Amino acid sequence: MAQLLHVVVPTPAHSTVGGTLSYSSELPYPPGTLVRVPLGRREVCGVVWETPAEDAVEALDPAQLRPVGAVLDGLPPLSAGWRQLVAFTAGYYQRSLGEVALAALPPQLRALDAVQLARRLQRKVDDAPAAPGGPAPDLSADQAQALAAIGSEPGPFLLFGATGSGKTEVYLRAVQSLMERDPQAQALVLVPEINLTPQLQARFEHRFGAGAVVALHSGMTNPQRLKSWIAAHLGRARIVLGTRMAVFASLPRLGLIVVDEEHDPSYKQQEGARYSARDLAVYRARAEGAKVVLGSATPSLESWQACDRGRYRCLEMPTRIGAGKLPAVRLVNMNHQPRGALFSPPLLDAIGQRVARGEQSLVFLNRRGYAPVLACNACDWKSECSHCSAFRVFHKIDRTLRCHHCGFTERVPRACPQCGNVDIAPVGRGTERLEEQLGELLADVRRPDGTPVRIARMDADSTRLKGALEQQLAQVHAGEVDVLVGTQMVTKGHDFRTITLVAAVNPDSALYSSDFRAPERLFSLLMQAAGRAGRDAARAAASEMWVQTFSPEHPLFAALKKHDYPAFAEQQLRERRQAAMPPFAYQALLRAEARTQEVAQAFLQSAADAGPGLEGGGHVVIYAPVPMTVQRVANVERAQLLLECGSRPALQAFLAAWQPVLQGLRVRGLIRWAIDVDPLVI
Ligand code: ADP
Ligand code: ZN
Ligand code: ZN
């Protein structure tokens, strides 16, 4: 007799097919089985799901349904834990189950038929045993204490450790003790950006053997991703090391999740289902009975407050290994420096001295390109993008004007397109210009062997080509660069041992940003950057972090000078509490895109008007529709609507009730809309 199968299939974001589709099958297959099913005129990959609760299902007659196609029963079914994570993600972030489920699988798996899969699974695997690799150092007292807590308490844990305090060693040991307790167990280690932390993978492979560790991130080819995914799914891989997408890896024996640099904004997906991999890691660990360790020197205020409330357990590691001191912080009051100077004379002098001593410096500015704007000195022409409400950035290297929002690129005009004046000039500075000016300013400085200074630049432009980043990092490590100039990319993760000076050239904009999270991001950026200096204990004493600012009296800098994250967090949380901002309130955004701003806002207004009558509507504050900061990108107008609520469950209930209303709204000219739950950027 034919069976009824409920299958989750890839569905568009706002399709009314919220749940499963029904098919018939000769044999029963358990939930989690991968199948190929007809959908319209296509055949797609789907996942067998549990029977939905609705009564309607009862009435279905298998004989009336289309049959499933191939069944990929060479693979064990996806676990109940995995299905629960997917269902939670879809519900919490307001996306369809099918979209989330299929996006969580490697692209190549979705395309394979049963024969191809069988061939894949037969492929011989290099069964390198998870042999104990390199020796582990003796733990510091802080590390031992943290590890003991992780072993004996339920968590979740926030490992609050200074840069260089040995957090990674704690992760390694936590994984090791998990494996000792349960030789079959698996660990998931999440990192913000794998390219920036090649040392981390090397350390795990060295400790546990290369065969035990697989990587999972978007920089891999599809065949590589499938290979890693299968190894994890079959339980062969002991450790999965990956970026945010890896939170959805299939791990049948998951025992531990580590989220390194848990404060990093890249854990939040910014398109499709806008999930937070950190938050999902905490959810997944609890649901599957695994432990979770969030690590950072500058935790997110959300996690910090969760410790305050006793929801997370805070494990502190204040001291750097080898007693390397954190660098002294020097604030340069730019109000007292020559006007318009990019580099203040004292900073320039300090960099020059480092070069002369054969030490390295790291200088960063959060703007790539040569100058953010090119302007005419005779009329009011500026290098605006014709498709976006933004300026195109001047890149001197290839003499182009490039829009960093839509990519629109043109050669720099010979004369002003508006008045013909040939005197058009760059306004403001980017990393290219920084590199050029530093070269001029340090032209007379000599290295210990009498040769001129060597300056290199590292940013999204210089690292665009494959392998370029690795090559540049290797150059810095090999001591072939004296001054490294770049965007905040240079401040992340690398273990540059001989850098003794780090400088933030112009970080002020974050102090006065309309984004309430800007100070939090700046503080963590500066603390991370400071952590790059003086990793080598022998040089640590002479290490310095320089900050040029027009607001040296800002409380953020007072906390920075003392490397006092708790003081900073306390001050910020006080402000957030007074203003009823996250983490004291919960937010969601409704974003709309249309050909005109009027249409986008009309959609949002109708959505807002429908709000008060809905479940939970009385608890949710619905703000007025506003244009987004960069209002137009690639000729599409963008607007958004902010929701705020003191209770997460009330906000969730409201969003669930709102979703069908939004789907029913018909506004002519609307291109698309999306909900962002717990948005990071507002
Ligand atoms: P974090 O992740 O907190 O920045 P790491 O784990 O990378 O710190 O440790 C910083 C440095 O100290 C690394 O070079 C690491 O090998 C070393 N280290 C960590 N723990 C110990 C220890 N217990 N004994 C000796 N060296 C250690
Ligand atoms: Zn002009
Ligand atoms: Zn543009």
Side-chain angles (χ1 to χ4, degrees), residues 137-140 143 162 164-169 203 321 497 535:
D138 292 334
L139 294 180
S140 71
Q143 287 174 323
S165 63
K167 292 186 290 298
T168 310
E169 186 59 39
R203 276 171 80 177
I321 295 285
R497 303 212 73 91
R535 289 213 135 202

Side-chain angles (χ1 to χ4, degrees), residues 150-410:
I150 295 168
S152 60
E153 297 174 27
F157 302 97
L158 176 65
L159 184 59
F160 169 48
T163 46
S165 63
K167 292 186 290 298
T168 310
E169 186 59 39
V170 172
Y171 307 150
L172 289 162
R173 291 297 183 93
V175 172
Q176 192 180 327
S177 35
L178 171 73
M179 310 278 146
E180 283 162 8
R181 266 200 320 275
D182 173 4
Q184 303 290 305
Q186 294 177 297
L188 172 63
V189 179
L190 299 179
V191 293
E193 265 214 71
I194 230 158
N195 292 335
L196 295 178
T197 47
Q199 297 113 326
L200 191 71
Q201 187 170 353
R203 276 171 80 177
F204 272 89
E205 288 180 348
H206 188 241
R207 191 66 60 84
F208 298 100
V213 185
V214 297
L216 212 48
H217 57 90
S218 54
M220 296 163 67
T221 64
N222 283 341
Q224 287 170 332
R225 251 169 89 172
L226 180 62
K227 191 174 168 208
S228 291
W229 188 90
I230 289 178
H233 179 64
L234 297 181
R236 266 188 222 135
R238 299 264 76 82
I239 299 158
V240 171
L241 194 62
T243 49
R244 63 171 179 263
M245 62 184 257
V247 77
F248 293 109
S250 168
L251 294 154
R253 304 289 304 246
L254 181 63
L256 172 70
I257 308 181
V258 169
V259 183
D260 190 26
E261 309 289 6
E262 66 91 29
H263 63 277
D264 198 293
S266 70
Y267 283 120
K268 183 84 157 86
Q269 167 81 18
Q270 294 295 356
E271 59 193 35
R274 292 163 164 79
Y275 62 88
S276 156
R278 177 196 60 216
D279 295 351
L280 287 181
V282 174
Y283 171 85
R284 185 174 188 180
R286 191 179 45 207
E288 299 198 31
K291 300 222 175 174
V292 60
V293 180
L294 312 178
S296 178
T298 52
S300 62
L301 290 174
E302 280 76 8
S303 298
W304 191 251
Q305 198 233 4
C307 291
D308 276 353
R309 285 190 181 170
R311 290 200 296 119
Y312 294 177
R313 168 84 151 87
C314 187
L315 308 171
E316 297 193 31
M317 299 207 300
T319 36
R320 283 179 132 184
I321 295 285
K325 276 222 237 26
L326 284 163
V329 175
R330 304 218 179 284
L331 294 180
V332 181
N333 185 343
M334 293 303 274
N335 298 298
H336 301 158
Q337 300 301 323
R339 275 198 57 199
L342 181 52
F343 287 97
S344 60
L347 173 58
L348 203 57
D349 188 47
I351 296 175
Q353 286 179 24
R354 256 68 191 188
V355 175
R357 290 207 296 265
E359 297 171 6
Q360 291 175 302
S361 301
L362 196 155
V363 176
F364 66 96
L365 178 71
N366 259 346
R367 190 166 255 153
R368 66 196 164 86
Y370 189 84
V373 189
L374 203 61
C376 170
N377 288 323
C379 73
D380 61 357
W381 180 83
K382 290 192 179 64
S383 56
E384 260 158 311
C385 176
S386 47
H387 311 296
C388 307
S389 52
F391 294 115
R392 279 175 302 162
V393 175
F394 172 42
H395 289 253
K396 192 175 177 186
I397 286 188
D398 52 4
R399 298 207 61 82
T400 55
L401 291 175
R402 275 189 236 158
C403 175
H404 288 186
H405 297 279
C406 74
F408 177 50
T409 302
E410 273 183 338

Side-chain angles (χ1 to χ4, degrees), residues 42-205:
R42 294 180 299 148
E43 196 193 59
V44 296
C45 178
V47 184
V48 177
W49 220 255
E50 17 281 291
T51 305
E54 296 103 65
D55 298 333
V57 172
E58 307 279 311
L60 286 174
D61 175 4
Q64 307 291 316
L65 297 170
R66 297 171 83 178
V68 291
V71 176
L72 306 186
D73 50 2
L75 276 183
L78 290 149
S79 70
W82 184 87
R83 298 196 304 276
Q84 190 184 339
L85 174 68
V86 164
F88 172 80
T89 306
Y92 188 86
Y93 293 103
Q94 299 293 315
R95 306 296 290 200
S96 75
L97 187 59
E99 183 197 12
V100 175
L102 277 299
L105 298 172
Q108 219 180 19
L109 183 67
R110 304 195 298 250
L112 288 186
D113 63 30
V115 179
Q116 291 165 320
L117 177 70
R119 214 178 295 142
R120 267 289 187 170
L121 290 171
Q122 271 161 16
R123 233 176 248 181
K124 225 183 118 34
V125 284
D126 20 320
D127 234 350
D138 292 334
L139 294 180
S140 71
D142 283 349
Q143 287 174 323
Q145 221 165 29
L147 205 63
I150 295 168
S152 60
E153 297 174 27
F157 302 97
L158 176 65
L159 184 59
F160 169 48
T163 46
S165 63
K167 292 186 290 298
T168 310
E169 186 59 39
V170 172
Y171 307 150
L172 289 162
R173 291 297 183 93
V175 172
Q176 192 180 327
S177 35
L178 171 73
M179 310 278 146
E180 283 162 8
R181 266 200 320 275
D182 173 4
Q184 303 290 305
Q186 294 177 297
L188 172 63
V189 179
L190 299 179
V191 293
E193 265 214 71
I194 230 158
N195 292 335
L196 295 178
T197 47
Q199 297 113 326
L200 191 71
Q201 187 170 353
R203 276 171 80 177
F204 272 89
E205 288 180 348

